Amino acid sequence: MLTLLEDKIATPLGPLWILCDEQFRLRAVEWDEHSDRMEQLLGVHYRVQGYQRVSSANPGGLSRKLCDYFEGDLSVIETLPTATSGTDFQREVWKTLRTIPCGQVMHYGQLAEQLGRAGAARAVGAANGSNPISIVVPCHRVIGRNGTMTGYAGGVTRKEWLLRHEGYLLL
């Protein structure tokens, strides 16, 4: 059974759940109001092995580092370790999301092309939407082909805020 250490921090965008394993690798980061989505994803990813959640203050320093991100240390999220379950394709998409530089965006088609799967924008979008590690695996950096703020589980307002925070100027 997997033990997940959990903490909740205050952010400018509302409370944020942080869950990591005992090796302090992030397994889930999700907005409090979407904790049902987080529970659903955890159930999908860890139903075979099972998991338990244990309250922990600032596990592995991850809570403090995410607070640092919100306070302006944007590069800190690039240093945070993650571990995800999911399909090989999902993990490939999530790994590629982490290569999008802070302050830049990519559209779903570009992400599919970068993965060597031109024409798979919808599949990439679905994998993007199943990302359990919000912010650190920066799914908010993926936008619609025409520049629209499409598909962010935390809401478009949060997506826009995160992109502005990272220096991407919205038109």
Side-chain angles (χ1 to χ4, degrees):
M1 177 172 292
L2 178 66
T3 297
L4 296 176
L5 307 174
E6 67 177 14
D7 194 10
K8 191 186 324 182
I9 63 170
T11 77
L13 300 173
L16 186 70
W17 282 102
I18 299 164
L19 281 75
C20 67
D21 57 29
E22 292 177 294
Q23 290 74 42
F24 307 119
R25 297 174 299 182
L26 289 169
R27 297 288 183 137
V29 175
E30 185 62 83
W31 304 105
D32 186 49
E33 71 194 61
H34 299 290
S35 60
D36 56 338
R37 176 184 178 276
M38 178 179 68
E39 289 289 341
Q40 180 183 17
L41 288 174
L42 290 171
V44 167
H45 293 300
Y46 305 114
R47 72 174 166 255
V48 173
Q49 73 185 104
Y51 71 94
Q52 64 179 348
R53 291 170 60 176
V54 176
S55 183
S56 177
N58 193 27
L62 294 169
S63 299
R64 179 67 250 162
K65 290 176 183 176
L66 278 161
C67 286
D68 291 346
Y69 165 82
F70 284 102
E71 292 169 4
D73 183 1
L74 302 176
S75 64
V76 73
I77 64 171
E78 296 169 11
T79 69
L80 302 181
T82 63
T84 53
S85 188
T87 67
D88 290 342
F89 178 72
Q90 286 173 326
R91 287 194 311 271
E92 184 181 4
V93 170
W94 300 335
K95 181 180 178 182
T96 304
L97 287 171
R98 291 198 81 180
T99 68
I100 303 171
C102 186
Q104 295 183 28
V105 296
M106 183 178 287
H107 62 71
Y108 295 97
Q110 288 172 312
L111 188 55
E113 289 170 13
Q114 187 168 332
L115 290 163
R117 298 172 185 255
R122 287 183 190 266
V124 165
N128 197 43
S130 297
N131 170 24
I133 307 175
S134 178
I135 302 167
V136 177
V137 176
C139 53
H140 61 276
R141 295 180 188 159
V142 183
I143 62 173
R145 181 176 295 276
N146 62 358
T148 56
M149 297 294 115
T150 58
Y152 182 65
V156 171
T157 301
R158 281 193 178 108
K159 182 173 189 159
E160 289 175 346
W161 189 95
L162 291 167
L163 290 173
R164 281 191 186 100
H165 181 62
E166 294 180 351
Y168 179 74
L169 301 176
L170 300 172
L171 302 176

